[in-house]
Amino acid sequence: MTRPSAADRSAATDLVTREQLPATAAGAPTTPEPLTACIQRGRDAVLAWDRRRPLLWDLSFTGFWVTAALIDFAGDGWRNVTHNPNAPGALLLVLSLGLSVPLLWRRTHPVAVLLAMTPFAVVNGWSGAALQAALLQLVVVYHIALRRPLRALWWASALMLVPVAITTTRFGEGGWSQQIGSHLTSIGVAILIGITVRTRHHYTEALEDRARRLEIERDQQARIAAAAERTRIAREMHDIIGHNLSVITGLADGGKYAAGKSPERAAQALDAIGTTSRQALGELRRLLDVLRDDDTGRPAERTPQPGLTDLDQLIEGVRSAGLPVHTRVEGRATLPPGRQLTVFRVVQEALTNTLKHAGPDTTCEISIAHGARGAVTVTITDTGTGTPPRAPSDGRGIPGMRERTALYGGTLEAGPRPHPEQGWRVRLHLPEESSQ
């Protein structure tokens, strides 16, 4: 997996921070202090350079400390702290290089580097040279705390105290508590710095992972919402177009047969076709206006969805297409708009199927029984003799009616009437609304 860039880390941290802050605080622009911003830019630049050229950075870091160790040796600075001013120069040179050159592999193999430096540190303590380059082991301990299991720090600390014990035993300068205590303090500080940086890295990675999850969740929610909206729109367009085209087809067929015998009836059929067509176009325009991306910022015109009051107009249109429809209503309607739309669309789909599949000389009956708190039972039956399938393969029609019904926890049954009766029956039941 590609390691995130500095810009990606910063963006991930900002995203999660905005999720954690209150809306007013997250939305308010913040300006960092100039010194803090300068330090942050410098740190990001160094980290970016290190990620691009890690070997060059390791060579620069190691070269700096090798040069410092050689300057300490060549400039006789080591004589200020040594226990053995007469140590051979060749030994001092080997010790200086042995305690500094292995730093080149400190990040990739910190444990091996510490083991490689330990013999030189032991010789440094045994000979009494006491070169300051031995303190570079603290850098290696820092990298062990940063990159290796924390249990490795126990033996690493013990390993670093061996040269100190040897020096204290041989040359006896200062008490054991003073020598061991000061070195333990230095080791502890290096370990704490390593653990702190390691914890910060883990925290940053957790922020990045959470930011990625939030982005994935946001995209998934957007796709789910888009799919649900497409399904809703497809269902609405199927109901509008399917019903009105079925009515228009019935009117056109009736007008064709009436044209020769009764021109007046043919003219009435054409007039009904025009009215139905305009109604369908109006509903489609209202539906598509909601989806239109209007650059002017003017909100789309919103009109109420069909309800129970529109059933009479729906039934009259079906009757004009040649299908006799009888209605019976029981109880008092107390349905909210959403339930009214469900009832309207189910009745519309059932009548459309009857027009398309029932055959000639068919009658239809609609029974609506209202209950308390939004409960309703709707039964649509016909006496058709047609045999074409009533469930289209495109997932609309009856599946669409079931989806609408499921939104309110209701049930929908659709199928042939029981023998010896013939025809088709659709029964919709919406239970009472649950109390909030």
Side-chain angles (χ1 to χ4, degrees):
M1 182 175 66
T2 305
R3 189 175 183 179
S5 63
D8 295 335
R9 289 175 177 268
S10 177
T13 304
D14 291 344
L15 175 60
V16 177
T17 302
R18 286 195 297 270
E19 292 290 332
Q20 294 172 339
L21 290 176
T24 54
T30 57
T31 303
E33 294 292 335
L35 180 59
T36 304
C38 181
I39 294 175
Q40 183 67 30
R41 286 195 300 269
R43 173 183 172 277
D44 292 341
V46 171
L47 291 177
W49 184 63
D50 180 24
R51 281 190 290 270
R52 289 194 303 268
R53 302 177 180 85
L55 180 60
L56 183 59
W57 172 260
D58 289 338
L59 288 173
S60 302
F61 183 86
T62 304
F64 174 82
W65 290 112
V66 169
T67 303
L70 294 178
I71 290 175
D72 183 54
F73 158 68
D76 291 337
W78 62 277
R79 295 183 183 276
N80 297 325
V81 294
T82 187
H83 302 296
N84 181 14
N86 299 319
L91 176 63
L92 296 176
L93 177 61
V94 172
L95 291 178
S96 298
L97 294 176
L99 292 171
S100 58
V101 172
L103 289 178
L104 182 62
W105 299 277
R106 72 195 183 282
R107 295 199 288 188
T108 55
H109 304 88
V111 174
V113 169
L114 182 63
L115 292 175
M117 294 173 69
T118 298
F120 296 97
V122 170
V123 174
N124 182 51
W126 181 267
S127 65
L131 294 176
Q132 298 299 303
L135 295 177
L136 293 177
Q137 288 180 295
L138 295 174
V139 177
V140 183
V141 170
Y142 160 80
H143 282 280
I144 292 177
L146 184 63
R147 293 180 168 84
R148 292 293 180 266
L150 297 182
R151 60 177 179 271
L153 294 172
W154 293 104
W155 64 262
S157 302
L159 201 62
M160 287 190 61
L161 291 176
V162 171
V164 180
I166 293 174
T167 301
T168 303
T169 301
R170 290 204 64 192
F171 300 98
E173 291 188 6
W176 275 85
S177 60
Q178 179 182 357
Q179 293 292 330
I180 300 296
S182 62
H183 280 78
L184 275 177
T185 301
S186 301
I187 295 172
V189 170
I191 290 175
L192 286 177
I193 294 175
I195 292 176
T196 301
V197 175
R198 180 177 187 164
T199 303
R200 186 178 183 277
H201 286 172
H202 289 169
Y203 179 68
T204 303
E205 291 175 357
L207 290 178
E208 294 172 356
D209 182 68
R210 184 182 176 188
R212 284 192 294 269
R213 291 177 182 273
L214 288 173
E215 291 176 357
I216 293 173
E217 182 179 355
R218 179 196 62 194
D219 294 341
Q220 288 177 342
Q221 289 177 348
R223 287 195 293 269
I224 291 172
E229 184 66 11
R230 285 195 298 268
T231 302
R232 185 190 70 82
I233 293 169
R235 189 165 55 232
E236 294 291 339
M237 294 188 70
H238 168 269
D239 292 342
I240 294 170
I241 296 175
H243 171 75
N244 287 285
L245 285 182
S246 297
V247 173
I248 290 171
T249 301
L251 291 171
D253 290 340
K256 180 179 67 174
Y257 290 113
K261 298 180 180 180
S262 178
E264 293 183 359
R265 294 291 299 274
Q268 291 175 0
L270 292 174
D271 183 63
I273 288 174
T275 301
T276 304
S277 301
R278 285 190 292 272
Q279 180 183 354
L281 286 174
E283 291 190 53
L284 286 176
R285 286 196 186 99
R286 285 195 294 269
L287 180 62
L288 297 177
D289 279 346
V290 178
L291 307 177
R292 185 179 59 185
D293 184 11
D294 197 341
D295 296 333
T296 62
R298 181 174 58 84
E301 181 182 357
R302 303 295 180 93
T303 58
Q305 292 278 17
L308 295 181
T309 56
D310 300 292
L311 280 177
D312 292 339
Q313 182 180 358
L314 172 69
I315 294 172
E316 287 300 324
V318 174
R319 286 171 178 164
S320 64
L323 175 64
V325 180
H326 306 283
T327 61
R328 185 174 69 252
V329 180
E330 300 177 4
R332 183 172 174 269
T334 58
L335 298 180
R339 293 187 171 221
Q340 292 189 35
L341 176 62
T342 299
V343 172
F344 181 89
R345 292 305 188 195
V346 168
V347 172
Q348 184 183 53
E349 179 64 25
L351 293 177
T352 301
N353 287 338
T354 300
L355 283 172
K356 292 167 61 178
H357 305 296
D361 301 325
T362 299
T363 61
C364 182
E365 181 177 346
I366 301 175
S367 173
I368 304 176
H370 294 285
R373 296 171 54 186
V376 64
T377 300
V378 181
T379 305
I380 306 101
T381 57
D382 64 55
T383 59
T385 58
T387 57
R390 300 292 183 98
S393 60
D394 59 1
R396 310 291 185 251
I398 294 176
M401 289 193 289
R402 288 201 172 97
E403 290 177 7
R404 290 182 182 276
T405 306
L407 293 176
Y408 299 97
T411 58
L412 186 132
E413 302 172 2
R417 299 171 66 184
H419 187 76
E421 297 177 339
Q422 63 180 8
W424 194 269
R425 181 179 66 182
V426 176
R427 184 179 183 274
L428 164 72
H429 175 70
L430 299 181
E432 296 181 1
E433 292 185 282
S434 59
S435 58
Q436 299 297 328

